[in-house]
Each structure stands twice: as structure tokens, then as C-alpha cells.
Amino acid sequence: MNYRKFFAIISLFIYQTVFAQLGEVSNLVKMELIKGQDKVHQNSLLKVALKVNIEKDWHINSNKPNEDFLIGTKVISEDERFPIAKISYPEPKEFLFKFSDKPVSVFDGEIIIGLLINIDKSMPLGSYKIPVRFRYQACNDQLCLPPASLTDTLEISVVDNRTTVNKINQNLFANLDDLDKSGFWDNTIDQISTQSTTKKLNNSVASTLESSGFFFSLILIFLGGLALNLTPCVYPLIPITVGYFGGQSEGSTSRLFLFGILYVLGMSLTYSIIGVVTSLSGAIFGTLMQNKFVVIAIALLFVVLALSQFGVYEFKLPNTLVAKAGGAKGGALGAFFMGLTMGIVAAPCIGPFVIGLVTFVAAKGDPLYGFLMFFVLAVGLGLPYLLLALFSGKIKKLPRAGDWMVGVEHIFGFLLLGMALYFVGPILPKAINKYLLPIFGILSALFLLFIDRIANNIKTFRIFKIIFSIVVIAISIYAIIPSKKIEPDWQKFSEAKYEQSLKNKEGMIVDFYADWCIPCKELDALTFSDPRVLEKSKKFTNYKVDMTQTLSDETEKLRNRFS
């Protein structure tokens, strides 16, 4: 603890033991609730302004005071039937005080806080009194007082949609330019719900696990791991799994099962390490796929695996381990390392469920607990790939085994090479990345059609290979043909433009994008191209932030600034 924090704490102690008994600090802060409408409809938002007056030469901490030993300002509805859906605090000021070694974010003088109170669609009609508590900590340049709170009561009338609602106190609300221009008062119930869904889900995951028994928590986490297979981030694992197990195994169910188990164990180990790091550091390292060296290593692994499909070499365990494994040979070691890598591949798209689990594990601070939680999560995530491995490997156990198996291995080899290009693409220039996979697809298909003659004497396999190659060529050509991109009027983000927008009090949409981020591409394809979203976006200044090169100084600065 530095000397300024020590000074602040000692001052606080002196106040609590001496000055508090003298009653010298009453009425330092006063509050008043002001409605923006005389009545409110069901399934709507009530607009409220909270006016706060702070005594001269005093201030209160802002909602984010910059020092962990200071208590931030908070507004709370004490009637759970009327939760506060959104709060807009005014722009704070920053001052350097004697008790702090860095500027403290504070409010002083008169401030107005915007509140949107949620009126549920099932709320019975009638009059209600809603107590709203304002919590704050007052300080001057010498000391900080203990946290205190004020409560005021908001009287409202809930009416049906046929009753007219009139705006009141418009002189006050019309002057709240900061709130009006940001579109704060324009939020609807649906918009508020959408904005808070992820935050609520994160909190609910942690609270559900906290309230559940240990074994029940493990079951929930296992089911959550299974559900992660429905997210787009794990889609690349499907062709990788099919490509690897379809070519590495030899049809034996026991070997396929062993390889699949090793694959899932490798994936589980990666996630378990994430759990340990999370429990020790309180944060998840979800940035592995943002490191170009990690991406290159993954791509090289796919190339190495692909070469084995073309007969360059064969994976083998040491003979002693082969004997202990009951004769299993090719692919066992590769399957385990593939699983390790796949844990990294899926990490950038961890989803709200895993963020909630991270919050829970970080709060526990127990490495063994974190290891177990994420191990079970990965087992749930990996179970479908164990079944997929068994299915893929069984392809080679079809009747009349012969040269056609080598032809199948070549197809799987091209599949793995395609995945290598898929992962290395984001670190290449966009102009190259755009055409990389389509051109590779066309060349691979042409090679299979006209150069790779293996097993062409088998009619069924030849027909399959022709159809497969034609489909790949058609998809690749479709990907190359330019199409009109429907999207908001994005501007490239810059500090100067952003600060100017803040100065002009413009509403902004800031989209943080990365080429390796599959949900980002899903947003572009489905959400930002939606006509309703496009129409709404015209009210905003739209900035696009490219976070692909995350380890650059500029991107790191932005990531820290916007958390």
C-alpha cells in the first residue's frame, strides 16, 4: 500500500471515530427524482432524471472512481418489480487529490443521472411508489467520508396502452443534450433486453454454479460443453476431424476409439490449462489465435498431417508404447497433439457460457478446481468428435479395400491443407486471403480429376471423386465472383475521428472485428446486412476497428482502452 492510500484510510478512520459523532457533514449531498412523463404504459420504459446537488468544496466519486479503495456512485431501485434497465451517468471530472497517487474520477456541483426503469408487460394497472436509493462516497481534498446513501420515492401510475401518456418536466429533459444525442431516451424494451442479455447470462452462469452442488455443477458444465458444438467457432473442427481420422486409422474399432479418446484428452488438457491459468490470474488467455506464431504453428501441423495422407511418412509410437497399447500404431501420438491444437482453435469463440465459467473459476482462485471444471467442459465439447472420429475412420472399413483407400487419403490430405490455409489466411494481406482458399479449391479439384488417377478403375469411387471435385470447383468459383456487399456506412476507426464524435455528442456504433473471428463474420453476413439494422444504423456514426493484428501496439492500446 502506498503512502497516499495509507493517508486516505487513516483519514477515514479518524472521521469515523471522531467527526461522525459531531454531525458536521449532514446535507453534503441532496437528491431529487424527476419524471419525464405523467403516466407509464405496461411493457415500456419510464424516463427518470435523478438530480444530485453536492456541497461546494466537496465531490463524490463517479461510478468508476479509478481507485480500488474508493466507493463508486451507484443508483439502485429498491423495488425488484421495477428494475433499472439502463443508467446514463454524466461525464465525470478527474482531479489529483492528496490521498491518491493518480487522478480520481469524480462528480461535483449539480449533476443529472438518466434512468430508464423497466415496466413489465404483466404489471397490474394502478399507482405505485418506487423507492430509489442513491449510494455515494463524499470526499474533499483532505479526506473521504464513509459511504452513505439517500433514498427518494418515485410515484408512478401504470396505465393500459389506450390511455394517453403526456410528457412532463420537458424543460429539464430537453436540456439533457448528452443523453438525447446519444439516443439514451430512444431505447425500447427489446433494445435494452438485447444489450443486457450477455451480461445477465454471464452473471447467471456464475450464480447458478455457486448455488448448485459440486456434482450437479459438473453435469451442467458437461452439458454446456456439448452445447458449445452449436456455436460457429467449432465448425472448423468438423472437417479437421473428418480429414484426420478418415485417413489415419485402419478401420479397427478399438484403434479408432483409442485415437478418439486421445484426441478428446488432448483437447481437454488445453482447456484444463486455461482453467488453471484463469484461477491463478483471474483472466482467460483467449488471444492465442491472435498470435501469428501460434497460427503458423497450427497451419504447419495441418501440413505435417496432410503429408502423411499423401504417403510421405506414417505416425508411429515407440514400440514399447505400441505393445502396451495393444498393438495400436499409426496416429495415436498425432491424435493427442491434434486434440491439444483443437483446444486452441476453438478458444477464440468461447461464448457467454464459458465467460460465465471463467468468472466463477477466477473468483474461486483454486487451480485444481479450475482444472477440473474446464476438463469436464472440454470432455462435453469433445464427445461428439469422438463419435465423429469413429464414423470417419469406418470409411476405410468399407468392402473391397484396395487402391481406393489411398485415393480417400489424398482427398483427406487436401482437406487438411485447406484447413492450414484457412488458419494462416488472416495473417496474410486481405487481397491475397480473399482468393487463397477458392484458388486452392479449384487447383485441388483439378488435380483429383485429371492428375490423381489412383483407383479410377473402381467405378463407384470414380463417380464420387468427380461429383466431389465438381462441387468444390462450383463453390470456389462462387466465392471468387464479387458480390455487392450490403453493410452500414462504416468508417475506419481513428482516435481523432472518435474524439470528434464524442465532442459532437454523436451516437456511435463501434464494431470490433478480427479476420480470425467467426462470430464477427456472422455479424457481417446476418446482422449488419439486415435491412432493419441498416435503417437504424443511419442514425449513428459507424466505426469499424480491425483487431486482427492484436499484438500490435495500436491495437493493444485500443483493447485496453475499451476493455
Side-chain angles (χ1 to χ4, degrees), residues 419-430:
M419 294 310 301
L421 294 177
Y422 170 84
F423 283 105
V424 81
I427 66 175
L428 299 175
K430 288 188 177 181

Side-chain angles (χ1 to χ4, degrees), residues 384-398:
Y385 296 97
L386 172 60
L387 303 177
L388 189 59
L390 289 170
F391 169 78
S392 304
K394 282 298 178 181
I395 292 175
K396 294 186 66 175
K397 202 178 180 182
L398 293 174

Side-chain angles (χ1 to χ4, degrees), residues 278-296:
T278 297
S279 64
L280 293 175
S281 66
I284 190 169
F285 61 101
T287 58
L288 287 172
M289 288 301 291
Q290 305 167 26
N291 188 316
K292 64 181 180 180
F293 298 109
V294 173
V295 172
I296 291 172

Side-chain angles (χ1 to χ4, degrees), residues 20-87:
Q21 299 179 19
L22 301 179
E24 296 179 359
V25 291
S26 60
N27 299 322
L28 282 178
V29 179
K30 298 178 182 178
M31 69 169 285
E32 180 185 5
L33 292 171
I34 304 170
K35 295 184 294 186
Q37 56 210 68
D38 59 349
K39 296 177 283 290
V40 61
H41 289 143
Q42 295 168 312
N43 194 34
S44 68
L45 296 166
L46 174 65
K47 302 173 183 179
V48 178
L50 172 58
K51 183 188 288 187
V52 180
N53 284 287
I54 304 158
E55 188 75 18
K56 185 180 179 181
D57 298 326
W58 286 84
H59 63 266
I60 62 174
N61 301 321
S62 75
N63 53 309
K64 296 180 180 179
N66 296 342
E67 285 281 15
D68 54 10
F69 65 90
L70 297 175
I71 306 300
T73 290
K74 190 172 184 180
V75 183
I76 304 165
S77 169
E78 296 197 314
D79 190 332
E80 60 183 15
R81 297 174 299 173
F82 299 97
I84 297 175
K86 195 172 182 182
I87 302 177

Side-chain angles (χ1 to χ4, degrees), residues 11 29 90 131 180 368 438 510:
S11 299
V29 179
D180 289 337
L368 180 60
V510 183

Side-chain angles (χ1 to χ4, degrees), residues 145-159:
L145 307 182
S149 63
L150 298 171
T151 301
D152 194 7
T153 301
L154 191 66
E155 297 185 2
I156 67 168
S157 295
V158 179
V159 296

Side-chain angles (χ1 to χ4, degrees), residues 198-255:
T198 300
K199 182 177 179 181
K200 289 180 179 178
L201 180 56
N202 294 346
N203 292 337
S204 66
V205 169
S207 60
T208 299
L209 293 175
E210 187 69 50
S211 61
S212 304
F214 177 72
F215 291 105
F216 184 65
S217 294
L218 292 180
I219 293 173
L220 288 177
I221 291 169
F222 175 79
L223 294 176
L226 281 175
L228 286 179
N229 286 285
L230 302 177
T231 62
C233 281
V234 299
Y235 292 168
L237 301 188
I238 297 173
I240 293 170
T241 306
V242 172
Y244 179 75
F245 287 99
Q248 284 295 314
S249 63
E250 296 181 359
S252 168
T253 301
S254 60
R255 288 192 186 119

Side-chain angles (χ1 to χ4, degrees), residues 3 8 15 52 71 85-86 91 109 111 175 199 209 231-232 238 243 271 297 312 316 365 447 455 466 485 492 532 548:
Y3 76 95
Y15 169 82
V52 180
I71 306 300
K86 195 172 182 182
E91 192 71 23
I111 63 169
N175 290 330
K199 182 177 179 181
L209 293 175
T231 62
I238 297 173
Y271 273 84
V312 177
K316 285 187 178 181
F447 181 89
I466 291 172
K485 194 171 184 181
K492 185 177 180 181
R532 296 168 298 175
T548 301

